Amino acid sequence: MLSVIVPVFNTKKYLNRCLQSVVGQSYSDLEIILVDDGSKDGSAALCDSWCITDSRIRVIHQDNLGAIKARDVGISMAQGEFITFVDSDDWIEYDYFARLMDGFID
């Protein structure tokens, strides 16, 4: 399993596109950990709604401690054999994780 950690801080404008690209991957053996780092723009509620729609998603809410601490919290919660990160204002191609995992397997 691949653990995908997405630190989230005030990126409501971009978050849906990001998460659509993550949950729609051709490689589906994922756990997706959203770490809301004290967002004030509605990103936290958006994270919670995504958690309801996809059982692979877990949400952690914390006070604003910065991106590094958010990633550390995600790592401590990860259960996958491999860990990767996606920034909440980015999106990834449909086969990104499949290509990533093929590289590990080879």
Side-chain angles (χ1 to χ4, degrees):
M1 180 171 51
L2 177 63
S3 296
V4 181
I5 300 168
V6 183
V8 177
F9 180 71
N10 291 341
T11 53
K12 181 181 178 184
K13 179 178 177 181
Y14 310 102
L15 190 55
N16 276 328
R17 183 176 183 188
C18 172
L19 295 178
Q20 286 169 351
S21 75
V22 172
V23 301
Q25 288 291 298
S26 61
Y27 185 88
S28 61
D29 190 14
L30 307 171
E31 74 168 339
I32 303 160
I33 302 169
L34 307 179
V35 184
D36 168 46
D37 193 35
S39 295
K40 304 292 185 204
D41 70 341
S43 294
L46 199 52
C47 288
D48 290 340
S49 68
W50 272 94
C51 182
I52 292 167
T53 63
D54 193 312
S55 63
R56 300 173 297 171
I57 298 176
R58 289 189 291 155
V59 179
I60 300 159
H61 297 284
Q62 65 180 28
D63 292 333
N64 181 247
L65 301 172
I68 293 172
K69 293 287 186 188
R71 287 175 186 234
D72 287 345
V73 167
I75 290 169
S76 72
M77 301 299 291
Q79 297 176 343
E81 185 178 357
F82 300 98
I83 298 173
T84 191
F85 301 95
V86 175
D87 290 338
S88 61
D89 60 350
D90 287 339
W91 59 273
I92 54 177
E93 295 292 333
Y94 171 75
D95 62 346
Y96 177 75
F97 293 144
R99 288 184 284 138
L100 180 69
M101 294 306 290
D102 283 347
F104 284 124
I105 293 167
D106 287 345

